[in-house]
Structures are given as structure tokens and as C-alpha cells.
Amino acid sequence: MPSLFRLFAALPLWLLHMLGAAMGWLILLLSPTYRRRFSANAAQAGYRFGQVRSAVGHAGRMVFEMPRIWLGQELPPCNIVNGECVEKAYAQGKGLVFLTPHLGCFEMSVQAAAQRWSAQHGDITVLYRPARQSWLAEILETARNRPGVQAVPTTLSGVRQMIKALRKGEAVGLLPDQVPPDGQGTWAPFFGRDAYTMTLAARLVLQTGAAVVLARCERLSWGRGYTLYFEEWPMTDATTLEACVLQINLAMEKTIRQCPEQYLWGYGRYKQPRVERSEAAAVVKPGENA
């Protein structure tokens, strides 16, 4: 399997996207559970299947492009739009929280941002959950710690590193539409239906006063690369944890609606959280010191 990953990393992006799109449709056809969840999640957001059907192929593209993003000798081309709001956020000196949903090539978001700003403003810190397979864990540890990116585990130590990064005026990156383990989230509306939502992003913002920037990295057709969009998201009226979590969910909804055809509608966003023993569940409470 590691050899296959390295082979895919050497293939051109257009070929990976073509193979991935085919795999996405094959999985939809073979899995009734995935097919039902895809349609139900899209309908919850107000979309008919025909309106977001291209998201089927994009889900496959996401899987096939990852070896190229992680292990390729150089990143694919990525055009950055509205980078000025990122510069403005860094200039405030309180740190920067990049938030992006499971949309487009979210792995590319942090890599492209790090390539643009880390030399001047320090590494971008991201959380990762170590893979169970030893070969994949080794690849991920190497791949996600590229120049300008600091990947930390989902433990108390990892979260503390994120806080320290923000207090130094650096940036962190999170996917707040990911369902956290039980005890690390709260139930909040997402497209009109309660979904178990991580509180970590909200706690980081409340405790450090960091600026929030929304990111979405859209794939271009025919493997031509990506366009990375940034948008400032003021949190001035969110003074409680519940209000901040709701604001973040609204921000994710807005970002998804800007490119619904590249969102992972097949992701189990409304599933019950898994029960997991984790140090990270008890950290970053507003007013506490880390």
C-alpha cells in the first residue's frame, strides 16, 4: 500500500481526478447506505440530488488527490483570492483560526496557506487523528508536517500547542463540521437539524480572541489546480460558547452554499458521536489557563 500511495503521488492531477470521479460514482452505485445519506444530507440543506450530483465525483477526487497533496514533490497550482483578509487577521496579533468545511480540497487549503504565509508569520498548526494502520500513520506524519505546517495529535498536549501558537500570533486550522467524540462537542443546528458539533474551535476563539477566517479550496476542471478563497468572519456578537458554536455552524453553512457541488454530502454529519477516552475533551474552557 505505501508503494501505491507513492505511485499515485507521481501521477498527474488530471488523471487522479478522472480516476477519483469514476470511483466516487462506483461507490454511490454499490452502497445503498451511502446513497441514502448523500441524498438525505443534501435535502436537509434544500438541494435536490440533481443540483449536487457532481459532488459524487468530487468525493472520489478528494481521495485520489490526497497522495499527490501529501507526497508530491511540489504542490499543484493554487490561486489565492482575497488573501488581504488573512494579512489583516495576522496584523491584529491575536492569532488566526482558519475554518473550512469538508468541501473541495481542504487538505490543500492549509498547504497553500502555509506556502504563502508561514515564512513570515510562523507555522500553521493543525490537529490530526493518528491512523490505526502503521504504514498510513507513518505516511501521514511525514506528509502533514510539510514546511510551514505543524500537525499535532488530538490530545491535551496537541490542543495546548494550538493555544500557544495563537498566543504567539500564529495560525491554526480546523474542520468544524467534523463530528467529534462524545464529550468534545455540543448539539447545535446545522442546516436546520441538530448535529453534534465540536466546541474546540469556539473555545479557542473565546479564550484567545483570535481572528476567524473562512477558507474554501475549490477544484478546477481538468486537473488544472485549485482556487483558494478566504473570507473574514467577525465573531463580535458571540460571547458565550453556545453562541460561538452556532456562529461557526452558520459560517460553515454559508461556505458550503458557495460551492455545494464540491461538499461531502455523503459524510455522516448527523451521526451519534463515538464514545472515546480522550484528554482533549476537558481542555480549553473559557477563562482557564492552558
mmCIF file of all heavy atoms in Angstrom, residues 5-12 16 67-68 72:
data_model
loop_
_atom_site.group_PDB
_atom_site.id
_atom_site.type_symbol
_atom_site.label_atom_id
_atom_site.label_comp_id
_atom_site.label_asym_id
_atom_site.label_seq_id
_atom_site.Cartn_x
_atom_site.Cartn_y
_atom_site.Cartn_z
ATOM 1 N N PHE A 5 0.586 4.416 -2.768
ATOM 2 C CA PHE A 5 0.462 5.833 -2.426
ATOM 3 C C PHE A 5 1.511 6.653 -3.177
ATOM 4 O O PHE A 5 1.216 7.714 -3.729
ATOM 5 C CB PHE A 5 0.629 6.018 -0.914
ATOM 6 C CG PHE A 5 -0.662 6.305 -0.201
ATOM 7 C CD1 PHE A 5 -1.647 5.328 -0.115
ATOM 8 C CD2 PHE A 5 -0.902 7.536 0.385
ATOM 9 C CE1 PHE A 5 -2.838 5.569 0.541
ATOM 10 C CE2 PHE A 5 -2.094 7.791 1.043
ATOM 11 C CZ PHE A 5 -3.066 6.805 1.117
ATOM 12 N N ARG A 6 2.737 6.154 -3.180
ATOM 13 C CA ARG A 6 3.822 6.897 -3.822
ATOM 14 C C ARG A 6 3.648 6.916 -5.343
ATOM 15 O O ARG A 6 4.026 7.885 -6.000
ATOM 16 C CB ARG A 6 5.166 6.295 -3.416
ATOM 17 C CG ARG A 6 5.393 6.383 -1.917
ATOM 18 C CD ARG A 6 6.793 5.981 -1.492
ATOM 19 N NE ARG A 6 6.871 5.928 -0.041
ATOM 20 C CZ ARG A 6 6.982 6.988 0.756
ATOM 21 N NH1 ARG A 6 7.017 8.195 0.213
ATOM 22 N NH2 ARG A 6 7.048 6.862 2.055
ATOM 23 N N LEU A 7 3.072 5.846 -5.891
ATOM 24 C CA LEU A 7 2.770 5.835 -7.320
ATOM 25 C C LEU A 7 1.741 6.902 -7.652
ATOM 26 O O LEU A 7 1.904 7.672 -8.610
ATOM 27 C CB LEU A 7 2.255 4.452 -7.732
ATOM 28 C CG LEU A 7 1.713 4.349 -9.168
ATOM 29 C CD1 LEU A 7 2.808 4.651 -10.183
ATOM 30 C CD2 LEU A 7 1.102 2.968 -9.407
ATOM 31 N N PHE A 8 0.662 6.974 -6.864
ATOM 32 C CA PHE A 8 -0.374 7.975 -7.106
ATOM 33 C C PHE A 8 0.188 9.389 -6.961
ATOM 34 O O PHE A 8 -0.235 10.306 -7.666
ATOM 35 C CB PHE A 8 -1.538 7.772 -6.129
ATOM 36 C CG PHE A 8 -2.507 6.707 -6.559
ATOM 37 C CD1 PHE A 8 -2.151 5.754 -7.499
ATOM 38 C CD2 PHE A 8 -3.778 6.650 -6.026
ATOM 39 C CE1 PHE A 8 -3.046 4.774 -7.902
ATOM 40 C CE2 PHE A 8 -4.683 5.674 -6.413
ATOM 41 C CZ PHE A 8 -4.311 4.735 -7.355
ATOM 42 N N ALA A 9 1.138 9.561 -6.035
ATOM 43 C CA ALA A 9 1.723 10.886 -5.819
ATOM 44 C C ALA A 9 2.467 11.388 -7.049
ATOM 45 O O ALA A 9 2.629 12.595 -7.242
ATOM 46 C CB ALA A 9 2.669 10.855 -4.619
ATOM 47 N N ALA A 10 2.897 10.455 -7.897
ATOM 48 C CA ALA A 10 3.657 10.830 -9.093
ATOM 49 C C ALA A 10 2.771 11.027 -10.319
ATOM 50 O O ALA A 10 3.237 11.510 -11.348
ATOM 51 C CB ALA A 10 4.713 9.761 -9.383
ATOM 52 N N LEU A 11 1.492 10.665 -10.220
ATOM 53 C CA LEU A 11 0.596 10.781 -11.366
ATOM 54 C C LEU A 11 0.132 12.225 -11.543
ATOM 55 O O LEU A 11 0.036 12.982 -10.580
ATOM 56 C CB LEU A 11 -0.624 9.872 -11.172
ATOM 57 C CG LEU A 11 -0.366 8.364 -11.167
ATOM 58 C CD1 LEU A 11 -1.673 7.615 -10.922
ATOM 59 C CD2 LEU A 11 0.278 7.910 -12.467
ATOM 60 N N PRO A 12 -0.186 12.620 -12.767
ATOM 61 C CA PRO A 12 -0.693 13.980 -12.993
ATOM 62 C C PRO A 12 -2.058 14.159 -12.344
ATOM 63 O O PRO A 12 -2.848 13.213 -12.238
ATOM 64 C CB PRO A 12 -0.774 14.081 -14.519
ATOM 65 C CG PRO A 12 -0.836 12.684 -15.003
ATOM 66 C CD PRO A 12 -0.046 11.858 -14.033
ATOM 67 N N LEU A 16 -5.556 11.633 -11.771
ATOM 68 C CA LEU A 16 -6.064 11.292 -10.443
ATOM 69 C C LEU A 16 -7.522 11.713 -10.297
ATOM 70 O O LEU A 16 -8.348 10.968 -9.754
ATOM 71 C CB LEU A 16 -5.210 11.972 -9.373
ATOM 72 C CG LEU A 16 -3.775 11.486 -9.227
ATOM 73 C CD1 LEU A 16 -3.001 12.376 -8.264
ATOM 74 C CD2 LEU A 16 -3.742 10.038 -8.744
ATOM 75 N N PRO A 67 -2.739 11.551 -2.052
ATOM 76 C CA PRO A 67 -1.314 11.196 -2.175
ATOM 77 C C PRO A 67 -0.501 12.269 -2.889
ATOM 78 O O PRO A 67 0.649 12.527 -2.525
ATOM 79 C CB PRO A 67 -1.354 9.898 -2.988
ATOM 80 C CG PRO A 67 -2.688 9.310 -2.703
ATOM 81 C CD PRO A 67 -3.602 10.485 -2.588
ATOM 82 N N ARG A 68 -1.115 12.909 -3.874
ATOM 83 C CA ARG A 68 -0.417 13.972 -4.613
ATOM 84 C C ARG A 68 -0.163 15.187 -3.715
ATOM 85 O O ARG A 68 0.902 15.804 -3.759
ATOM 86 C CB ARG A 68 -1.283 14.369 -5.811
ATOM 87 C CG ARG A 68 -0.719 15.486 -6.669
ATOM 88 C CD ARG A 68 0.447 15.007 -7.524
ATOM 89 N NE ARG A 68 0.797 16.003 -8.527
ATOM 90 C CZ ARG A 68 1.485 17.122 -8.286
ATOM 91 N NH1 ARG A 68 1.878 17.392 -7.054
ATOM 92 N NH2 ARG A 68 1.750 17.960 -9.262
ATOM 93 N N GLY A 72 3.591 14.534 -3.077
ATOM 94 C CA GLY A 72 4.135 15.074 -4.320
ATOM 95 C C GLY A 72 5.331 15.975 -4.066
ATOM 96 O O GLY A 72 5.437 16.626 -3.017
#
